[in-house]
Amino acid sequence: GGSAMAAVRDVEIDPEGTFKYILVRLQRPGGEEQRDIVRGTKAAEFHNHIFEKVNPEMEKLGYECKCLGGGKIDHNSKDKKIRVFGLSTGYGKADHSVTVEILKKVYTDYEITWSDDKK
């Protein structure tokens, strides 16, 4: 049912700093139900490190994962600002505008912007 998918958080990112992120699409095998989630952390040296952590977690819940691309997030919790930019060499550039919409669901009182800048 929808409950398991609802249990998956839209966003899991570090509370502060600049780090890599990926946009991941979850889908039930053979099902129509799908949604996109954002995952990012400073602990990941490469974008695929994030995917390698998310994928098994989601498979346990019965989802197929597809990485839609990546980039970087600059999270300034003091000023309540998030900037989405850059790209992933391995996965290509995520649609940052989609990422921003997902982030806005969680960080409702933040100023959230994106660009195709590399830095």
Side-chain angles (χ1 to χ4, degrees), residues 64-75:
E64 287 173 347
C65 285
K66 183 179 163 201
C67 184
L68 301 178
K72 285 187 171 172
I73 285 176
D74 181 22
H75 188 174

Side-chain angles (χ1 to χ4, degrees), residues 9 14 22 24 39 74 79 90 99 108 116:
R9 289 193 296 195
D14 285 3
I22 57 172
V24 178
R39 295 290 183 268
D74 181 22
D79 295 340
T99 302
T108 50
D116 287 330

